[in-house]
Amino acid sequence: MYKRQGEYLRTRADVASFRTRHPERYAAIATQAPEDNGARLLQAMDENGIDISCVQARPGISNDLVAAIARNHPARLVPLAVPTPWPTSADPPRQPIRTLAPEAVAAELERCVALGMRAVGELYVRRVTNRLHPEEIADDLEPLMQVVERHGMSVQIPTAWTQSPGGLVYGDPIWVDELAYRYPRTPIVLTKMGRGLQRYFDSTLSVAIRNQNIHVDTTDTTVEHLRTFIGKLGAGRVLYGSDWSPAWQFLRDPGSVHDNAKQTIAQSQLSDGDLEKIFRGNASALYGPAHAHWLELHVPAPPR
């Protein structure tokens, strides 16, 4: 989708502001046919020593396409369900026809379960609610979370900003404290850990301190924030993350998303044990069952 726009996506700031700096080019993405970028992802994984990646829908990409891509590479890709579609430039999220009822979101997740998905990717919270009180947000998410809990899945909630229009208020994850309290057995991953912005990191850390089911990833964080989180809570809830995507794959100044993520971790002066948890152990514990289920569905059993 972003292939023709790659020259405009060189730096982190380029990606963050692409929608507003180049509105016509951003709008053109909505008219492009969805494409299978699995081969490019696998190449990036091979170049960076990544054995297995979680993949999920982004703007204009359906859960069905994600499942189809993961079926082609079941040993290396774990599909995550996104029952709250992310908006494109042609898809204003608050138009009534585009806003999903909580029950419809739950039904889409059940459909993803039927596709074989056993973990939930980043929710676009604004798709299902426009309320701001944490208890009311949790109320609107209840049908979805009941499906998540029933199937023993984890769920991701993005922090800080996204490229998508609107919804920035939900990037402050302080409201997730209520959700984590109501569903203490459900792992919740606060992705990006605040993207290096202090106010969002402070909320992330506060929620994680109070709730043992809160996890984070290293995507777009800083050395200071990573060391602070591990210093207070240990490395057992920290996952390696790169945020490789159709847009972020073009990042090259100062380096690729994998280069930047690995450098942040390297500069954090962590122990070998902590590095093993971040790069492999924690993700294996959290997403291993989902991957095992996917493999069982799509890799033939060896003949006896």
Side-chain angles (χ1 to χ4, degrees), residues 238-240 277-289:
V238 181
L239 311 170
Y240 173 79
K277 291 177 182 177
I278 292 171
F279 282 119
R280 191 195 66 82
N282 296 337
S284 179
L286 196 60
Y287 293 108

Side-chain angles (χ1 to χ4, degrees), residues 145-285:
M145 293 301 294
Q146 287 179 342
V147 177
V148 170
E149 186 177 53
R150 182 163 61 252
H151 293 286
M153 296 188 285
S154 60
V155 61
Q156 297 181 355
I157 297 175
T159 65
W161 52 266
T162 73
Q163 287 178 280
S164 300
L168 185 61
V169 66
Y170 300 110
D172 186 337
I174 200 70
W175 62 269
V176 181
D177 180 66
E178 177 68 24
L179 200 68
Y181 163 71
R182 293 190 188 188
Y183 301 94
R185 294 187 299 277
T186 296
I188 299 174
V189 183
L190 296 180
T191 63
K192 283 86 172 177
M193 209 189 308
R195 285 194 184 272
L197 301 175
Q198 193 63 45
R199 62 169 292 182
Y200 299 124
F201 174 73
D202 287 343
S203 292
T204 299
L205 184 61
S206 297
V207 175
I209 287 173
R210 282 166 52 86
N211 301 278
Q212 290 295 310
N213 55 332
I214 293 294
H215 304 253
V216 298
D217 72 17
T218 62
T219 298
D220 217 12
T221 192
T222 64
V223 171
E224 178 186 4
H225 287 174
L226 180 58
R227 293 187 67 178
T228 297
F229 189 96
I230 292 175
K232 290 185 177 296
L233 298 175
R237 290 188 273 160
V238 181
L239 311 170
Y240 173 79
S242 70
D243 209 24
W244 190 99
S245 72
W248 287 103
Q249 66 174 309
F250 297 108
L251 196 72
R252 55 194 182 279
D253 184 6
S256 71
V257 289
H258 284 294
D259 291 337
N260 296 339
K262 288 188 289 187
Q263 182 147 347
T264 296
I265 294 170
Q267 292 176 351
S268 298
Q269 300 178 326
L270 305 176
S271 68
D272 290 344
D274 285 348
L275 292 175
E276 194 281 335
K277 291 177 182 177
I278 292 171
F279 282 119
R280 191 195 66 82
N282 296 337
S284 179

